[in-house]
Amino acid sequence: MSPPTSSSSSSTAFGRFAGAGCAGVAELLIFHPVDTVAKRLMNSKEKLSTSNAQQILFQEHAQSGFMKKYGSLFPGIGYGAIYKICQRVYKFGGQPYVKEFMSGKVGTGGQESKFQSFMLNGVSGSVMGAGEVVLLPFDVMKIKAQTNPEYRKMSMGQVMRKEGLQLYNGWQWTMARNVPGSFALFGGNALAKELMGIKNHRDATFLQTSISSMAGSISSIIVACPLDVVKTRIQSGTYGAQGGFSIITKIVKEEGMGSFFKGWVPKVVTVGPKLVFSFTVAQYLMAMWS
């Protein structure tokens, strides 16, 4: 096989990064309110009930009208735009390059077994997930705006001056969550395509891509949920200077082991479609534009 020309390489790069970027924009516009609900549920120490649901979900707007309640689910969308678009371009657009590099080192010659495809896609996804911490400050500012009313009154510059390097609080837990979560996302997606008999993953139809994305996304959410609860509590700013191990200890003692999976059902039901949507759109556009 002849080496790829510069024009084909440019086309591939454009397809990968533009497809991932478009997926990030669409995901943000449609699903930001859902993300806010999931973050507020995970950040709450109380068990959700009919008596406290309004207060947990809408906070200071619990007694307001419908439009104000709905509007209260959009805090931090500016931070979300920076974070989400950069994240999707970096992660979805960059993972294929890492996978191709690893495949070349392993020497599969483009003929990968199901297990090799699962591992190569999973491990390359984990590498990208670990490196994702460079974008952490924007995610932290988004979470603070979503869960802490004090930060909704502050500009980005004010938050940065106030927090400084504390915007990287919980980076270890973010990385610990991202590594298995990203492995499950990309590995599960690849395995689902292999089980459907698709050898060249770019040949998958939109429906097949949707099914494989669903398999990877649900696996990723469930695997990452316990550490996501810890990460969210550290980054929200409502738990003071408590570290991850301190939060874990308190959860076990005061709330029980089940609290590590707080919000997993609404997250699978609501955040799941968000991840499935963006991953499907990204893969489909990347294949089409490459």
Side-chain angles (χ1 to χ4, degrees):
M1 181 183 291
S2 60
T5 64
S6 60
S7 61
S8 66
S9 297
S10 298
S11 174
T12 298
F14 170 80
R16 287 175 175 175
F17 293 117
C22 288
V25 172
E27 176 189 345
L28 181 74
L29 293 176
I30 296 170
F31 290 103
H32 187 79
V34 173
D35 183 54
T36 299
V37 168
K39 289 294 187 293
R40 289 177 180 176
L41 285 171
M42 286 190 287
N43 190 55
S44 173
K45 296 179 183 179
E46 302 175 40
K47 187 175 181 179
L48 187 69
S49 67
T50 53
S51 61
N52 64 11
Q54 297 279 332
Q55 190 62 45
I56 290 174
L57 298 182
F58 302 110
Q59 298 186 340
E60 71 270 29
H61 292 287
Q63 305 304 319
S64 302
F66 173 78
M67 291 308 296
K68 281 197 174 182
K69 283 181 178 177
Y70 182 68
S72 73
L73 298 178
F74 282 89
I77 193 167
Y79 305 132
I82 297 172
Y83 173 70
K84 188 57 65 180
I85 295 169
C86 290
Q87 180 202 40
R88 293 315 190 208
V89 169
Y90 161 80
K91 194 170 184 177
F92 292 166
Q95 184 268 347
Y97 288 104
V98 178
K99 190 256 182 183
E100 287 168 4
F101 173 80
M102 293 174 60
S103 182
K105 292 296 182 183
V106 173
T108 62
Q111 301 297 317
E112 300 163 1
S113 67
K114 290 183 176 66
F115 180 74
Q116 286 176 324
S117 177
F118 171 69
M119 291 302 297
L120 286 169
N121 279 282
V123 173
S124 59
S126 291
V127 170
M128 298 304 291
E132 199 179 316
V133 293
V134 297
L135 300 171
L136 186 60
F138 297 108
D139 189 32
V140 174
M141 287 189 283
K142 176 179 73 72
I143 290 173
K144 286 183 181 295
Q146 288 174 315
T147 60
N148 196 329
E150 174 190 353
Y151 286 89
R152 292 172 207 154
K153 304 171 186 176
M154 302 167 64
S155 66
M156 183 184 297
Q158 289 173 320
V159 175
M160 286 182 166
R161 284 193 295 273
K162 178 180 178 180
E163 298 295 327
L165 291 177
Q166 289 184 358
L167 289 173
Y168 278 96
N169 279 357
W171 70 268
Q172 306 97 321
W173 296 98
T174 300
M175 188 177 289
R177 178 205 66 169
N178 287 354
V179 169
S182 297
F183 183 97
L185 175 66
F186 289 98
N189 171 71
L191 182 60
K193 286 181 177 175
E194 292 288 333
L195 292 174
M196 287 188 283
I198 306 166
K199 289 302 179 184
N200 185 343
H201 293 184
R202 291 199 303 176
D203 291 338
T205 65
F206 187 82
L207 178 60
Q208 290 170 327
T209 301
S210 300
I211 293 170
S212 66
S213 295
M214 185 182 302
S217 299
I218 293 175
S219 301
S220 176
I221 289 170
I222 294 174
V223 166
C225 192
L227 290 171
D228 202 23
V229 170
V230 177
K231 178 193 83 81
T232 297
R233 293 190 178 196
I234 291 173
Q235 294 172 346
S236 68
T238 57
Y239 287 78
Q242 292 181 56
F245 289 110
S246 175
I247 288 175
I248 289 173
T249 302
K250 283 198 169 186
I251 288 175
V252 172
K253 286 183 178 179
E254 299 174 8
E255 302 177 46
M257 295 296 291
S259 289
F260 285 111
F261 289 91
K262 255 188 177 180
W264 81 268
V265 173
K267 198 167 184 184
V268 167
V269 172
T270 57
V271 180
K274 175 183 76 168
L275 186 53
V276 172
F277 171 82
S278 63
F279 200 23
T280 300
V281 170
Q283 289 185 89
Y284 189 75
L285 291 180
M286 285 159 62
M288 184 171 66
W289 289 345
S290 295

